[in-house]
Amino acid sequence: MDKKFNSICGLVYVIDGMYRERRFNQNDIAFELCMSVGDVRRATDTLGYHYGKRTDDKEALFFEEDFLFLGRYVTE
């Protein structure tokens, strides 16, 4: 059964939180959230992660449009 989310921003927040904890790698996140590994990888790349670490120390500003490819996991 696929897990669905109410918004793209909510899904991005969950992915970021799981990856930031370093208890989950991209494959684990994809399995837990019933997503493709490619979509998780693209989301973490967009969030600024490189080899499990953020590439910058600043808080980044992202827009929902950056993550429209995650729309298939969101329910209306």
Side-chain angles (χ1 to χ4, degrees):
M1 175 165 62
D2 291 336
K3 295 182 181 180
K4 297 288 184 176
F5 294 87
N6 294 330
S7 70
I8 291 174
C9 293
L11 177 56
V12 170
Y13 180 78
V14 169
I15 292 171
D16 184 38
M18 291 175 77
Y19 202 61
R20 185 177 296 186
E21 289 177 13
R22 295 188 183 185
R23 292 187 311 138
F24 296 95
N25 62 32
Q26 292 172 342
N27 292 330
D28 295 337
I29 294 170
F31 179 77
E32 289 290 323
L33 300 180
C34 301
M35 298 174 61
S36 75
V37 176
D39 286 342
V40 173
R41 183 170 292 122
R42 188 171 169 193
T44 57
D45 287 347
T46 304
L47 287 167
Y49 286 101
H50 187 70
Y51 291 109
K53 295 183 181 179
R54 277 257 168 117
T55 56
D56 60 354
D57 294 5
K58 299 176 185 176
E59 290 293 320
L61 178 63
F62 299 101
F63 297 97
E64 186 174 359
E65 291 81 21
D66 298 334
F67 299 96
L68 290 179
F69 62 94
L70 295 176
R72 73 179 98 175
Y73 305 105
V74 176
T75 59
E76 299 272 334

